[in-house]
Amino acid sequence: MTAPHGFSVSRYAPERGTLAKLAARDSVLRRLDWPILLSALALSGIGSLLVWSATRGRTELNNGDPYYFLFRHLLNTGIGLALMIGTIWLGHRTLRGAVPILYTLSIVLILAVLTPLGATINGAHAWIVVGGGFSLQPSEFVKITIILVMAMLLAAKVDAGDQLHPDHRTVAKALALAALPMGIVMLMPDLGSVMVMAVIVLGVLLASGASNRWVLGLIGAGVLGAVLVTTLGMLDEYQINRFAAFANPDLDPSGVGYNTNQARIAIGSGGLLGSGLFKGSQTTGQFVPEQQTDFVFTVAGEELGFVGAGLILVLLGVILWRSCRIARETTELYGTVVAAGIIAWFAFQSFENIGMTLGIMPVAGLPLPFVSYGGSSMFAVWVAIGLLQSIRVQRPMTA
C-alpha cells in the first residue's frame, strides 16, 4: 500500500518513542531474564551489608575507614554490572569468534602468576598485584574461558548439522584445552579453583551429549589425580591440614580446625531470626577469620539467622533454576553448553562455600558468588550472568 504521490506509508508513520521501543515485545529489556538479574542484584546487595558488618571494626584491614570495604564491594558490583552489559551487547555468538584470543590471554595471565609478578594472598600464590590496593586473580576468568573454549569445540559440528553428538576426537581436543590452564592453576597451587574447573568440565561434557564413557573416564581420572596429587606432595601443608581438619573437626581446634569450629559457632548462635545486623558477637569479636571473603555466610547465619541465610539460598536457587530454563530453551548446542557450564560452576562453588562453613565440606578458599568480597570473583560471575542473558536474548522468539 502506498500513500499519495507515490510515497510509502512507512515514510509518514511516526517512529516509536524510546519508551515504546523499550516496552516492545522484541526489546532487549523485555527479553532479559529478570528473575536472574534481580536475584543476582539482591545477593550483591546483601553481600554489601555482610561485608560491611564483617569489616567495619577491622582497623588493621580498613585503615581506620569503616566504609572502606563497603564502598569497594559496591564499586566491584558496579564494574561487574558494566561487564554484564558489555557481554550482552557483544553477545555470546560474537564472543564465540573471539574464544582463541580469550583463551590465549587467560594462559598468559595465569602464567604471569608464576613469575615475579605473582603474589601470595591467604596462602595461595594465585594473584597479580596491579597497584592502588587492587589485585587480580586470573583463575576466576579461566573458569569462563574453559566454558567458552569447550562449548566452541563441542558444538561446532553439531550446530552446523554435520553431527548429532560430538565425536571422540573433538571431545579429546576440548579436554586437552581445558587441562592446560587447570594444570597451570594447580601449580600455584589453587586447589579450590581447580575443583570448580573440574566440575565445570564435567557439566559441559554432560550437556554436550558426549559419550558416557568420557564422563566416567573423567570421574576416574579425577579420583586418580587426587591420589597422585596427595602422594606426590603437590599440595602445600596448609591445604593438607584443611582436609585433615575436615575429616576430624576436633583435630587441633586452636589451629587447623579453628576456622570451621568458629564458623559453626557463629551460624549456630543466630537461631531463627539472628542477633541483628552489626550485632553478632562472633562477628564483632572477629573470631571468624576471612569473614568478608570465604566465610561471609557466617555473618548471615549469625546476624540474619536461619531466615536471612535461607534467603541467600533461595536467591541462589532462583539463579540456578532460571539458568536451567535458559539452557533447556535455547535452540543451539553452543548456548546450551555455555549455560550448563555456568550452572555447574555456580552450583558447586555455592555448595562448597556454604558447606565448608557448616563443616560438611573441606575448606577450599572459594568465595560465595555475588556475596563475598573480591573484585575478580565479582567480575567473573557478572560476566557469566551476561552470557546467560545473551543466550536468552538471542534465542528465536516464539509466536
Side-chain angles (χ1 to χ4, degrees):
M1 178 179 178
T2 60
H5 309 294
F7 293 105
S8 64
V9 173
S10 61
R11 181 168 181 174
Y12 291 98
E15 293 187 4
R16 290 189 298 177
T18 302
L19 291 178
K21 291 179 180 179
L22 294 177
R25 183 170 177 265
D26 60 346
S27 71
V28 173
L29 285 181
R30 284 284 298 273
R31 302 190 73 182
L32 290 177
D33 193 299
W34 283 98
I36 285 182
L37 181 56
L38 294 177
S39 295
L41 284 171
L43 285 169
S44 294
I46 293 172
S48 298
L49 294 175
L50 300 180
V51 167
W52 186 19
S53 178
T55 60
R56 64 194 185 96
R58 301 289 298 271
T59 55
E60 77 281 6
L61 296 177
N62 61 28
N63 299 317
D65 180 4
Y67 301 100
Y68 177 81
F69 282 92
L70 171 63
F71 288 153
R72 288 171 71 95
H73 189 83
L74 292 173
L75 175 62
N76 290 337
T77 302
I79 295 174
L81 283 169
L83 291 172
M84 179 199 71
I85 294 171
T87 303
I88 297 173
W89 179 73
L90 286 173
H92 68 290
R93 292 172 184 160
T94 301
L95 289 174
R96 185 178 190 170
V99 166
I101 298 175
L102 296 175
Y103 181 82
T104 303
L105 181 59
S106 296
I107 297 296
V108 170
L109 285 175
I110 55 177
L111 283 174
V113 174
L114 302 178
T115 71
L117 294 174
T120 301
I121 299 178
N122 297 331
H125 191 78
W127 304 80
I128 298 175
V129 177
V130 296
F134 291 92
S135 56
L136 181 70
Q137 189 177 10
S139 58
E140 289 292 338
F141 303 101
V142 171
K143 298 170 186 175
I144 298 173
T145 304
I146 288 176
I147 292 172
L148 292 177
V149 74
M150 291 191 69
M152 179 190 71
L153 283 174
L154 295 172
K157 293 182 180 180
V158 177
D159 285 339
D162 299 331
Q163 297 176 349
L164 292 177
H165 306 289
D167 57 36
H168 293 303
R169 185 176 181 180
T170 301
V171 175
K173 287 181 179 179
L175 289 177
L177 287 175
L180 176 59
M182 290 174 64
I184 299 173
V185 172
M186 192 66 218
L187 293 176
M188 294 180 183
D190 185 356
L191 181 60
S193 292
V194 172
M195 290 168 58
V196 176
M197 294 173 193
V199 173
I200 287 173
V201 171
L202 183 61
V204 164
L205 281 184
L206 288 170
S208 70
S211 171
N212 289 334
R213 285 180 290 178
W214 283 104
V215 176
L216 295 174
L218 183 62
I219 295 174
V223 174
L224 178 61
V227 173
L228 290 176
V229 164
T230 303
T231 56
L232 295 177
M234 295 180 65
L235 297 180
D236 284 345
E237 184 178 357
Y238 80 94
Q239 292 175 318
I240 297 175
N241 290 339
R242 284 177 173 179
F243 282 98
F246 166 68
N248 182 10
D250 296 325
L251 176 67
D252 191 11
S254 62
V256 295
Y258 178 81
N259 289 17
T260 302
N261 290 333
Q262 294 299 323
R264 288 191 292 183
I265 291 172
I267 294 175
S269 65
L272 180 63
L273 300 176
S275 58
L277 195 63
F278 310 131
K279 297 179 180 178
S281 58
Q282 290 290 112
T283 300
T284 303
Q286 304 173 14
F287 291 104
V288 183
E290 305 302 329
Q291 206 168 12
Q292 75 275 16
T293 53
D294 300 346
F295 286 89
V296 71
F297 191 74
T298 63
V299 187
E302 180 182 26
E303 298 188 348
L304 304 181
F306 177 80
V307 173
L311 176 60
I312 291 176
L313 295 177
V314 169
L315 292 172
L316 289 169
V318 169
I319 292 175
L320 294 175
W321 161 54
R322 298 296 297 187
S323 299
C324 288
R325 184 171 179 177
I326 290 174
R328 185 177 66 250
E329 293 180 350
T330 184
T331 57
E332 57 181 6
L333 181 62
Y334 176 71
T336 297
V337 172
V338 170
I342 294 172
I343 293 166
W345 166 14
F346 285 3
F348 177 77
Q349 188 160 316
S350 299
F351 177 76
E352 163 61 32
N353 177 277
I354 295 173
M356 72 184 187
T357 65
L358 298 175
I360 61 174
M361 291 292 286
V363 176
L366 292 173
L368 184 58
F370 304 100
V371 182
S372 293
Y373 175 79
S376 298
S377 173
M378 186 69 77
F379 303 158
V381 294
W382 277 108
V383 168
I385 293 296
L387 288 170
L388 289 170
Q389 297 289 7
S390 173
I391 294 169
R392 176 177 169 83
V393 167
Q394 294 188 13
R395 71 180 182 181
M397 295 186 64
T398 57

